[in-house]
């Protein structure tokens, strides 16, 4: 039987993959209020993510897209948390090679900000690059618990600044920069949007597309008022935030820790934003609340809700929800980034 999960997009047929996922769920439930099993939880969740992303390599749509892009790696120097060079993988459609004014799509991968790798998202990003006609910058930001908030966000932010400052050398148009990410990567993207707004630098970004993002501490609330998907996932989200935070209690009102807690003033300084969600996503309530606030702040371009879809399902290219998602992204990129 195919194993399908809300948190990883896993579709592996492996019994080992299913057992690993179940162990992760059980560990989070047993230790959601203590740190006794944190090391094991991180290890198991990272294994879950490796299974899910390995599956993406099997799809012919992604295999074909890989043949249509050129890949290179750059390193972006940072100093906010030791001297560290953030690895960034650049995927340029061969049809855009040699062009000097390409649109840039700077992306943070999913995994709750504690798991996943940039390389694991290459198949869907190759496909996105080709379908949308953009140069993708796939950011391998540092993960929790080794790197705590806000330094994970700052890794991504520094890449945004680097691409903007080096646009000509990188072959991109500095006036056509989009930032994006899914799930935990959507959280990283939102955190960078907060940082840009705090520093009055949102003009560097023409468009932001946080997809299925972790937004705030809604998972710490009463599960009785949650949707089924939210209730099934809330203990895992609590544990993720405990791992991400330097000190959860002192950071509980920080918009860099919980972007959904940004003030009205900060939201009004966000880049123009498209929030991308799913009908049955475990972050649906958080996303819709943020959409409401961004609309009032004049920064919401679109709230996208893919009907019938669950978290990460658009990564499976033969699903109707995936086809609808990529068609929607093509329209959004054309109307709000390329023009």
């Amino acid at each position: 039987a195919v194993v399908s999960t809300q948190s990883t997009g896993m579709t592996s047929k492996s019994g080992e993959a299913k057992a690993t996922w179940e162990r992760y769920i059980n560990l989070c439930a047993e230790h959601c209020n203590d740190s006794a099993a944190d090391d094991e939880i991180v290890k198991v969740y990272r294994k879950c993510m490796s299974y899910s992303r390995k599956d993406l390599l099997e799809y012919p749509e992604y295999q074909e897209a890989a043949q249509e892009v050129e890949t290179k790696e750059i390193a972006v120097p940072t100093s906010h948390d030791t001297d560290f060079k953030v690895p960034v993988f650049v995927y340029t459609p061969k049809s855009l090679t040699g062009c000097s004014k390409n649109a840039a799509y700077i992306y943070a991968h999913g995994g709750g900000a504690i798991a996943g790798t940039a390389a694991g998202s290459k198949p869907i990003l190759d496909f996105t690059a080709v379908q949308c006609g953009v140069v993708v910058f796939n950011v391998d930001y540092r993960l929790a618990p080794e790197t705590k908030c806000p330094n994970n966000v700052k890794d991504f932010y520094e890449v945004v600044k680097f691409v903007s400052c080096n646009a000509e050398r990188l072959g991109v148009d500095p006036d056509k920069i989009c930032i994006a990410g899914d799930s935990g990567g959507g959280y990283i993207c939102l955190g960078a949007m907060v940082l840009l707004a705090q520093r009055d630098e949102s003009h560097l970004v023409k468009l932001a597309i946080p997809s299925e993002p972790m937004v705030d501490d809604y998972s710490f609330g009463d599960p009785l008022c949650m949707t089924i998907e939210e209730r099934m996932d809330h203990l895992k989200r609590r544990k993720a935030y405990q791992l991400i935070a330097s000190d959860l209690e002192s950071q509980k009102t920080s918009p860099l820790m919980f972007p959904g807690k940004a003030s009205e003033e900060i939201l009004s300084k966000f880049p123009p934003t498209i929030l991308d969600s799913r009908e049955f996503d475990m972050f649906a309530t958080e996303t819709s609340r943020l959409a409401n606030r961004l609309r009032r702040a004049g920064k919401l371009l679109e709230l996208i809700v893919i009907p019938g879809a669950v978290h990460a399902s658009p990564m499976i290219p033969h699903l109707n929800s995936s086809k609808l998602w990529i068609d929607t992204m093509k329209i959004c990129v054309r109307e709000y980034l390329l023009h």
Side-chain angles (χ1 to χ4, degrees), residues 191-213:
M193 291 160 66
V194 170
L195 201 53
L196 288 164
Q198 289 175 335
R199 299 182 179 184
D200 291 319
E201 295 175 327
S202 292
H203 63 278
L204 300 177
V205 173
K206 185 175 183 180
L207 177 64
I209 313 178
S211 293
E212 314 168 316

Side-chain angles (χ1 to χ4, degrees), residues 153-172:
V153 170
K154 289 181 177 179
D155 280 358
F156 187 76
Y157 163 83
E158 290 294 344
V159 174
V160 175
K161 290 290 295 291
F162 181 87
V163 172
S164 177
C165 292
N166 296 275
E168 183 176 357
R169 178 166 67 87
L170 295 169
V172 302

Side-chain angles (χ1 to χ4, degrees), residues 13 75 86 122 126 241 251 299 339:
K13 298 177 182 178
V86 182
K122 184 180 188 300
D126 286 342
Y241 281 125
Q251 291 179 292
K299 291 300 179 180
H339 290 171

Side-chain angles (χ1 to χ4, degrees), residues 179 188-198 202 208 210 266 270-271 273:
I179 60 176
I188 295 295
C189 179
L190 280 172
M193 291 160 66
V194 170
L195 201 53
L196 288 164
Q198 289 175 335
S202 292
I266 291 299
F270 265 27
T273 302

Side-chain angles (χ1 to χ4, degrees), residues 111-129:
I114 59 175
T117 64
S121 293
K122 184 180 188 300
I124 192 168
L125 292 177
D126 286 342
F127 190 67
T128 301

Side-chain angles (χ1 to χ4, degrees), residues 55-71:
D55 287 342
L56 297 180
L57 298 171
E58 299 178 2
Y59 296 107
E61 294 91 339
Y62 294 156
Q63 294 171 359
E64 292 169 11
Q67 301 302 313
E68 297 179 41
V69 301
E70 294 183 353
T71 301

